[in-house]
Structure formats: structure tokens, C-alpha cells
Amino acid sequence: MKPTFYVTTPIYYVNDVPHIGHAYTTVAADVLARYKRLMGFDVYFLTGSDEHGQKVEKAATTAGETPLELADRVVKRFQALWERLGISHNDFIRTTQERHKKGVTQIFTDILEKGDIYLGEYEDWYCTPCETFWTETQLIEGRCPDCNRPVEKLKEESYFFRMSKYQEQLLAHIDANPDFIQPKSKRNEIISFVKEGLRDLSVSRTTFSWGIPVPGNEKHIIYVWFDALTNYITALGYPDETGNYGRYWPVDVHLIGKDILRFHAVYWPTFLMAAGLPLPKKVFAHGWWTVEGQKMSKSLQNVVEPNMLIDKYGVDAVRYFLLREVPFGLDGDFSHTALVQRINSDLANDIGNLLSRSTAMAVKYFDGVLPAPAELTEMDTALKTRTVEMISSVDRLMDEMAFSKALQAIWEVISAGNKYIDDAAPWTLAKDPAQRERLETVMYCLLESQRMVHSILSAFMPTTAAKALCSLGWKEEISRDSLVWGELSAGTTITKAEALFPRIEG
Ligand code: ME8
């Protein structure tokens, strides 16, 4: 049986249209899912939409729609974008689906019956855009400490989750599982936050109606974060433990932005502890994108629309840029200049040129029939070793979610390939019939190295890799077994590759 791998993205709010921030998490999860599939894992990749709560209700009122009409309309924009971006999710959960409501009601009931959810009264400051309650002392100059917007005082009867009870158990879990929260700096932030003391958490609202009612007390609506976080198990069919839930839970990694780490690393694990369910193996919080040095916001009108980027630069260039430009886990800045620079240098120049030059030579010198290599010289062995070692480095780096470093490791092989052509000078060898065997070996090494490069790149840039592998005559499935030197057979038909990435002028 194949080992399983379960990866999730946040479920995105439908009161906003998709932007580059949403695309970022989803592309990262897709690359990981594709990579793990390639490595022989039985992967389950989940994304979806967060459709309940006051925020969505308010947006719908403003738009003159019902919340469900709004959700139906906006969710299509997410789904269409994921299709254009080549996202290979296995499932898309909407929190308005029956399967989700059923699972949320069940887990809420379980915790209620256990006594870890109780009815009490709440009075605190509430930030509607963040759907978060704050205490007086947490406010910064009377405003929300996260988004700096005004907050309102709310007093209501509310169900509470006994989060305080799980403080020590959570700290012990974080301590015993150093990889549970990543990156490390974020882990430390969470530890300090938990050590300051966990308060019981309000998990129901009576001030609006768009959500899942508390079982047995329907004037209460289940808190949107309790509802949303549970998606990670309801999508697997929870509470039915026999199917996907039994197979894929606990999740291997929840990929999220740093803005929602506390919900995933404190609230969610304690809910699961109370319900007696296993905890996620890893929660990885990536950084935030600014745009041309500024925070991305509707009011600044600088929201970067992924569809526009795809129209202009192509899907794989966008995927590549997002994961290459910024180390996963750190904040980064988006700019068109940086994107164009990456396209021209890394894509058009390094990888595109290497493939078109080498396939053109195979056609010219060998009529497109891949020759068999003779004995490898030192320089051939160096290229081979670099390529083979890159495969294991990438494997390690992908486990660390170090996408940018993984791409760097791949690009080192591409640069080595470009240097290898210059050093081996096939055009000189071609002039001398006595060097025919040498030329055969050089061409083989060059093309085989790129076959391995493009095989592994298929996780990052599936369309480009497919084109490249087609001109390299590779028709087999890509797998761990094929990521081995020497799999490309002599006699394979090589065709001249068109430019993979046109240069962008200006
Ligand atoms: O928080 N840079 O949904 P959301 C990088 N529904 N990533 C960004 C970003 C930016 N500037 N802006 C957004 C929610 N993101 C909840 C989640 S999960 C159970 C519920 C990404 O639509 C990042 O992944 O506000 C962030 O965590 C997510 O979008 C928030 O999406």
C-alpha cells in the first residue's frame, strides 16, 4: 500500500475575490501535492471556501444578495482560477454543504456532551472583519490589534469552549513535536502566546443568523472559526471513520498564511483534543506578500489579480515566481519588475535556452535519434552526479517546505548544463569524425540531465515540463523510479523544443 499524504489550504472567504495571496498558498499546496504524488504517495489535497459568518452576511447585504447567492457567485471565481492555475486538488469543500454541517454539528455536540463547551455570557470587543473578539488590553488605541479597524462592544449569551483546560496539554504537545508548528520563529510566537494563558473561547453568536445553528439551541450560531476549521475533517467524511477520514487523518500539513496561525495552532488543536481526535502533524505558516512595497488592499487599489498575471505572463511563470522569489515562511514583495526579471533570466534564458540549444543539436547531429553514451569522462560524471544529487536534495527540501531552495537546487543543475555545453563544445566535436563517440556521450548526458530536471519540475511547472519532456521523447510516467540516471533510452526520438518562455521586453 502507498503511504498517504494529506495537505490542505485555508478555505477562503467568499466575501473577497481571489488575489495573489490566495493563489500563493494554493500553488504551494499544489506543488507539494504533485511532488508527493510523483514520489509515490497516495495524496489527498483539499481546498475550499469559507461561506458562513457575519462577514459574508454583511457583504451579501451590501451586494443585495442572499449570503448563499453571494457564495455561489464568488466560489465560481475561486474554482475557475484554480483550474487556470493547474491546481490538482482532490476535493473542494464549501462550508454550506450538508456533509460539512453534519460533521460540525457532530463535533460540537461531542464536546458539549463532554462538558468542554458550556453556556455563559460574553462581553468584549469584536472586530467584524477579523471575526475575532479582543479584550480591552489587547486593543491598540481602542482598535483591532490585527487590522487597526474600529471594534464594537458586544455582550451576548454565548457558548464557551474550555480552551483554558488544554493549555498545558497543548504546550506539552508543541514541546514534544518540534515540527508541529513551522517555521520556528512562528512556533516561538505561539509558545509565548499560550504561556500568557489561554482563556475560554466564545464559540457561538446570537447577533446574526448566517451559519450552522448550535444543536438544541438554534438561536445560537456556531462561531465561524469553529465551523471553518472543522472543514479539514468534514471533507474526509467525519464522523464516518471508515472512509477517507480513517485513511488520511491526521493531516500531514496545513498550509496557511501567518495571519491565521493562532487559529490553526491553538484553537484547532485544542478543539481536537477535546473531541479526542488526533492532532495535525504539521501547521506551516508562510509569510505575506506586499505589492510594490505596500500592503495589498482594496482601498489602495493595488490588489494583484492572478488572472491578469496569467494572461500577461503565463501560468507556469506565475507559479514559478511565487515559489522562487521568496523563501517560504518569510514575507516578500511582489513587483512586475521582479517577475519580468525572473522570467527573462531564469526561465527564458537559463532553462529555455538550454533545452532549445540541446534539442536542436540532437536534431542536427543525430537526426533526432538519441545516441547511447560511451564511457563517461570526468566532466560527464560531474554533470551526472550533480543531477542525481539534486534529486535527493530536492526531496529533503520539499519535506522542509523550502520551495525556493528546491528550485535553486534544480537551477544549479541547469546552470551546470549550460556550462557543460560550453565546456564540451559539441559544435567542435561535430566537425571531427574521430570525436563521434565523444559527441554521442555529451549529447546523451546533456539530454538525460534535462529529462531529470523537467521530471522533477513537473511538480512546479506542469505545462512547461510536459512540453519539455515531449521534445525529449519521454513518454513514461514520472515516478521515483524514473528519477534515476540512465532511464532515457538510446534511440528515443528528440524533437527541437520551441522556446519555453518568450523573453519579455521593456
Ligand atoms: O482567513 N500574502 O480566509 P481568507 C500571502 N476563511 N498570503 C495571503 C495574503 C497575502 N497578502 N492575503 C491572503 C480566511 N493570503 C479564513 C480561513 S481556514 C479554516 C479559514 C492567504 O480568504 C493566506 O493563506 O482571508 C491567508 O491565510 C489566507 O489567504 C486567508 O484567506
Side-chain angles (χ1 to χ4, degrees), residues 355 359 466-474 493-498:
L355 187 75
T359 53
K467 275 195 229 164
L469 289 168
C470 179
S471 63
L472 292 168
W474 180 259
T493 307
I494 310 288
T495 42
K496 186 180 170 339
E498 297 308 319

Side-chain angles (χ1 to χ4, degrees), residues 365-366 426-441:
Y365 305 140
F366 295 99
W427 46 89
T428 312
L429 299 174
K431 288 185 191 135
D432 180 358
Q435 296 285 355
R436 189 70 183 168
E437 201 176 82
R438 181 74 203 119
L439 182 62
E440 288 172 357
T441 308

Side-chain angles (χ1 to χ4, degrees), residues 322-458:
L322 289 177
L323 294 190
R324 174 64 186 84
E325 187 69 3
V326 180
F328 206 62
L330 299 185
D331 292 338
D333 185 52
F334 174 88
S335 75
H336 286 274
T337 321
L339 175 52
V340 168
Q341 165 83 22
R342 285 269 170 219
I343 293 176
N344 286 346
S345 99
D346 304 5
L347 301 179
N349 208 28
D350 296 348
I351 193 166
N353 269 350
L354 179 60
L355 187 75
S356 49
R357 278 164 97 192
S358 32
T359 53
M361 286 191 278
V363 170
K364 188 167 172 195
Y365 305 140
F366 295 99
D367 287 330
V369 180
L370 183 71
E375 199 168 326
L376 305 195
T377 64
E378 203 173 308
M379 70 185 297
D380 310 331
T381 309
L383 181 67
K384 173 182 163 180
T385 310
R386 264 206 124 107
T387 310
V388 171
E389 285 177 356
M390 172 274 285
I391 301 289
S392 42
S393 305
V394 169
D395 207 39
R396 182 176 46 78
L397 292 165
M398 293 300 275
D399 273 340
E400 293 168 13
M401 238 67 65
F403 302 107
S404 181
K405 280 193 187 152
L407 286 167
Q408 279 176 54
I410 301 171
W411 252 255
E412 277 168 23
V413 174
I414 294 164
S415 304
N418 273 317
K419 184 162 183 308
Y420 179 82
I421 300 197
D422 295 340
D423 292 348
W427 46 89
T428 312
L429 299 174
K431 288 185 191 135
D432 180 358
Q435 296 285 355
R436 189 70 183 168
E437 201 176 82
R438 181 74 203 119
L439 182 62
E440 288 172 357
T441 308
V442 166
M443 286 314 302
Y444 184 87
C445 291
L446 200 50
L447 294 165
E448 176 59 342
S449 172
Q450 285 174 77
R451 198 247 338 149
M452 288 176 64
V453 160
H454 283 283
S455 296
I456 206 142
L457 271 181
S458 66

Side-chain angles (χ1 to χ4, degrees), residues 289-297 300 302 332-334:
W289 287 91
T290 50
V291 175
E292 314 275 354
Q294 281 186 308
K295 191 173 170 171
M296 184 165 53
S297 83
L300 291 174
N302 65 348
D333 185 52
F334 174 88

